[in-house]
Amino acid sequence: DIMMTQSPLSVAVTPGESASISCRSSKSLLHSNGITYLSWYLQRPEKSPQLLIYQISNLASGVSDRFSGSGSGTDFTLKISKVETEDVGIYYCVQFLEVPYTFGAGTKLELK
Amino acid sequence: QVTLKESGPGILQPSQTLSLTCTFSGFSLSTYGMGVGWIRQPSGKGLEWLANIWWDDDKYYNPSLKNRLTISKDTSNNQAFLKITNVDTADTATYYCARIGIRVPYFDYWGQGVMVTVSS
């Protein structure tokens, strides 16, 4: 199985400041078709996970452009600019390159 | 508008079989490239992918539970199902279904989840 490692596991951010979350995979997520199968989700308290970003850096429909993704191969970053109250929750990276799909342990974002 | 909703027994006893239903709208599992997956989350813990079923009835399972899982679909009624045999307390979790597609190779829409408790 591909292991997904996120860091940090928790982060406290002052509203208006930025936050970055790192995700590392145990195997390159770059497929031979040129697509990298790495997505990011946000799970707000008591809610279902919500797709934020797919294929490293593509913003899902309706998602604020304060969210951005970057990286390649095995190292990826989610950046949240100008953090707002609604950004509180747990962020997960997940690989869809091969089954079993595997999730990172999650990064809890709180406000200072 | 794509929606998914899970339903299940709520509570069941160890060794029983858990049967879950995902009822969806806004897409069809008879459409080329469409799929539905099941993911679970124990309370306060992370997400675990369980299984996928595709429009062509292709099925994939998490090897960690493979022998206990059966995924199926009813295309006419826009439903997908998951059975987990021989449950124990470790299967206590919120279970989600979500849409996935060949051209959309990630879970783009999720249900609200259904909580399942295994307890004697």
Side-chain angles (χ1 to χ4, degrees):
Chain A
D1 298 3
I2 297 176
M3 184 173 297
M4 305 296 288
T5 304
Q6 286 182 233
S7 63
L9 295 184
S10 67
V11 60
V13 185
T14 301
E17 299 293 310
S18 296
S20 285
I21 300 169
S22 173
C23 176
R24 179 167 291 178
S25 57
S26 60
K27 171 183 174 180
S28 175
L29 302 184
L30 174 62
H31 192 276
S32 57
N33 63 9
I35 296 173
T36 301
Y37 289 89
L38 184 281
S39 295
W40 290 94
Y41 290 83
L42 164 61
Q43 186 173 32
R44 295 186 173 98
E46 308 304 319
K47 296 292 186 183
S48 306
Q50 171 197 356
L51 177 68
L52 295 175
I53 285 173
Y54 61 94
Q55 293 163 15
I56 302 180
S57 59
N58 294 284
L59 214 57
S61 176
V63 173
S64 169
D65 60 5
R66 295 184 298 100
F67 292 92
S68 62
S70 62
S72 64
T74 61
D75 287 283
F76 308 95
T77 302
L78 175 70
K79 183 177 179 182
I80 312 161
S81 302
K82 301 176 185 176
V83 168
E84 299 179 359
T85 304
E86 65 182 26
D87 301 336
V88 166
I90 302 176
Y91 291 81
Y92 294 95
C93 62
V94 54
Q95 66 82 16
F96 288 99
L97 178 68
E98 61 186 41
V99 295
Y101 304 144
T102 44
F103 294 81
T107 297
K108 187 173 186 178
L109 186 145
E110 299 173 310
L111 298 181
K112 284 184 182 175
Chain B
Q1 180 189 2
V2 173
T3 65
L4 304 97
K5 186 173 183 179
E6 308 86 350
S7 58
I11 187 165
L12 67 167
Q13 295 184 337
S15 81
Q16 290 186 319
T17 295
L18 169 60
S19 294
L20 298 166
T21 300
C22 174
T23 303
F24 54 87
S25 64
F27 69 100
S28 173
L29 265 181
S30 61
T31 299
Y32 173 85
M34 284 288 106
V36 166
W38 286 93
I39 306 100
R40 71 179 178 181
Q41 183 174 40
S43 180
K45 298 190 177 180
L47 297 158
E48 179 183 32
W49 172 77
L50 299 175
N52 277 8
I53 190 165
W54 295 92
W55 83 102
D56 59 358
D57 212 35
D58 213 359
K59 300 164 188 173
Y60 294 89
Y61 297 101
N62 192 320
S64 68
L65 296 95
K66 180 179 169 62
N67 292 337
R68 300 173 53 214
L69 300 178
T70 303
I71 193 169
S72 60
K73 60 183 171 69
D74 178 349
T75 304
S76 312
N77 289 306
N78 284 342
Q79 292 180 316
F81 310 98
L82 184 70
K83 290 188 188 297
I84 306 179
T85 60
N86 193 26
V87 298
D88 67 12
T89 55
D91 296 308
T92 294
T94 295
Y95 287 77
Y96 298 99
C97 63
R99 188 183 79 160
I100 191 168
I102 286 182
R103 299 190 181 94
V104 185
Y106 40 84
F107 295 123
D108 58 350
Y109 290 91
W110 294 60
Q112 65 189 28
V114 62
M115 192 159 184
V116 174
T117 301
V118 179
S119 174
S120 55

